[in-house]
Amino acid sequence: MTIEQVGLLLLAAAVVAMVARRLHVPYSVGLVLAGILLAALSMTPEFRLTKSLIFTAFLPPLVFEAALYIKWSELRRDLPVIVTLATVGVALSAAVTAVGMVWLAGWEWPGAVLFGVLIAATDPVSVIATFREAGVKGRLSLLVESESLFNDSTAAVAFTVALVLATGGQVTAAGVVWDVVRMVLGGIACGALIAGGALALAGRTDDHLVITTFTTVAAYGSFLLAEHYHLSGVLASLTAGLMVGNIGLAGSITDSTHDALESFWEYAAFVANSLIFILIGFRVAHGDFGSVVQATIVAIGLIIVGRALAIYGCCAVFRRSNLRVETDQQHILVWGGLRGALALALALGLPSDLPHASEIVTVSLGVVVFSILVQGLTITPFLRRLGAIPA
């Protein structure tokens, strides 16, 4: 990767942002199409979309920035709904997809389970970018963004267990429970530790550049520390973002630095989003979908069905309580459950010697393309029709 290549991609992203706004199409869709076009013009950069690139460069700032603006008082109220969707919902969606891929696509169980798990969680990169651009606010915005952040951790833990089984390892019920507890609590602890240190240092200065640097360290440091110890990096950055946003902006971080921080993290998210979606476009342009068309179509259908069962089933639990999710909001959660970079990252991290690994990667890419292009293009009209945003 060279600075010239990064500069070219950012220039393309800026132009796409202008054109997408004029044409009233989602920015993410324009970026993917731009990546496909650049690849067709043989302008593909030397670096590729890999699990390491997504996890170490892109996810930390995106998760942190999203969590930065979530109010703990609002999150706490809807936490039972969000946790249910992010755990039971992900498990149900993964099960539907895995069983369907065995029965309808003829896959073997290990590959089907791995695919079901990695594709079950909605992607915070795609979901948050699309819904923010559409102007979704209020409780619906909280549910959409928070679920996409929390369910990543569930998918990552389940994926780790499924990968051990697929590669011939031994797992026990007690071992699975311990891994879940360790990864979740450990990730939260890493986020709290790093964010707490950053806030303590930030409280000793009024220099907005220094404070911004501390928040950057909190975003990346929490994620990388957790991943180093095989804990949940997403939960670590999520915890750090929540702490900085709810404690820092109201306490040790003064009002004079608030605007500077918002501008910095808005731009950081813009850069990360731009590079991810353009690189997805490059990956699509070089993908060989001919041999997996049927499996991809089956997978798309199963994922939509699994998502619907997960949302409607989980929300039914709260229908007689003050946490009831309105029917229209449930419809939006179903169709707005976009897949993106996270699913690709997990798929790209599969061992190359794992049976059908390349097939899983290609089908995952096909699902992501459908999610970004089809669901991404239709979600804003869908939101208008249901009255979630002004017509």
Side-chain angles (χ1 to χ4, degrees):
M1 177 172 62
T2 66
I3 191 64
E4 290 86 355
Q5 292 173 333
V6 174
L8 174 63
L9 295 183
L10 290 179
L11 173 61
V15 172
V16 167
M18 295 170 60
V19 174
R21 186 179 294 273
R22 287 182 178 274
L23 297 178
H24 303 289
V25 298
Y27 173 52
S28 55
V29 173
L31 288 170
V32 172
L33 295 177
I36 295 173
L37 177 61
L38 289 174
L41 297 174
S42 300
M43 301 176 68
T44 307
E46 295 177 2
F47 60 101
R48 299 286 186 272
L49 199 63
T50 63
K51 180 182 179 181
S52 177
L53 182 64
I54 294 172
F55 268 66
T56 60
F58 297 144
L59 270 185
L62 289 170
V63 171
F64 183 87
E65 191 267 347
L68 198 63
Y69 303 109
I70 295 176
K71 302 301 182 185
W72 172 246
S73 57
E74 298 173 359
L75 176 63
R76 181 175 55 191
R77 175 184 178 276
D78 277 311
L79 200 57
V81 179
I82 293 166
V83 171
T84 301
L85 293 174
T87 53
V88 178
V90 169
L92 181 57
S93 180
V96 169
T97 302
V99 171
M101 292 305 288
V102 172
W103 288 354
L104 301 178
W107 282 19
E108 297 178 358
W109 278 108
V113 171
L114 274 173
F115 175 73
V117 168
L118 69 86
I119 209 69
T122 56
D123 180 61
V125 178
S126 300
V127 170
I128 293 172
T130 301
F131 275 75
R132 282 187 181 178
E133 191 174 355
V136 177
K137 299 184 183 300
R139 188 191 184 204
L140 178 59
S141 174
L142 175 72
L143 290 174
V144 167
E145 294 188 11
S146 299
E147 187 219 350
S148 69
L149 290 167
F150 276 86
N151 66 20
D152 287 350
S153 299
T154 304
V157 172
F159 179 79
T160 301
V161 175
L163 186 58
V164 171
L165 289 172
T167 53
Q170 297 295 322
V171 296
T172 62
V176 170
V177 172
W178 166 244
D179 282 341
V180 170
V181 172
R182 178 181 62 82
M183 293 181 72
V184 170
L185 295 184
I188 293 173
C190 287
L193 176 65
I194 299 298
L199 288 173
L201 292 171
R204 298 177 177 273
T205 179
D206 292 327
D207 189 328
H208 70 277
L209 296 177
V210 174
I211 293 174
T212 300
T213 302
F214 286 141
T215 62
T216 306
V217 171
Y220 278 97
S222 58
F223 191 98
L224 297 177
L225 177 65
E227 289 294 320
H228 176 75
Y229 290 105
H230 306 291
L231 307 172
S232 174
V234 173
L235 270 181
S237 282
L238 173 61
T239 302
L242 286 171
M243 287 183 62
V244 172
N246 288 273
I247 299 174
L249 296 182
S252 57
I253 295 178
T254 62
D255 292 339
S256 62
T257 65
H258 190 205
D259 291 341
L261 276 176
E262 281 196 350
S263 297
F264 171 79
W265 282 107
E266 185 178 3
Y267 179 68
F270 170 80
V271 171
N273 273 320
S274 299
L275 295 177
I276 283 180
F277 287 117
I278 288 180
L279 291 175
I280 287 176
F282 286 137
R283 187 88 191 189
V284 170
H286 294 97
D288 181 14
F289 297 99
S291 60
V292 295
V293 171
Q294 182 179 352
T296 302
I297 293 173
V298 169
I300 291 170
L302 289 169
I303 288 164
I304 293 173
V305 171
R307 176 72 177 171
L309 290 175
I311 294 298
Y312 297 135
C314 290
C315 289
V317 176
F318 302 96
R319 69 180 182 274
R320 298 186 182 278
S321 72
N322 58 358
L323 294 177
R324 181 177 184 271
V325 180
E326 299 299 327
T327 303
D328 286 352
Q329 292 179 334
Q330 294 180 44
H331 298 334
I332 293 168
L333 285 169
V334 171
W335 192 244
L338 280 68
R339 272 66 173 183
L342 179 73
L344 280 181
L346 295 176
L348 292 169
L350 291 172
S352 57
D353 58 347
L354 188 73
H356 309 297
S358 61
E359 189 176 4
I360 294 174
V361 172
T362 307
V363 174
S364 299
L365 183 59
V367 170
V368 169
V369 171
F370 173 86
S371 184
I372 295 174
L373 297 185
V374 178
Q375 292 177 273
L377 280 171
T378 57
I379 190 63
T380 300
F382 189 54
L383 289 166
R384 289 197 183 100
R385 183 176 184 131
L386 293 179
I389 59 175

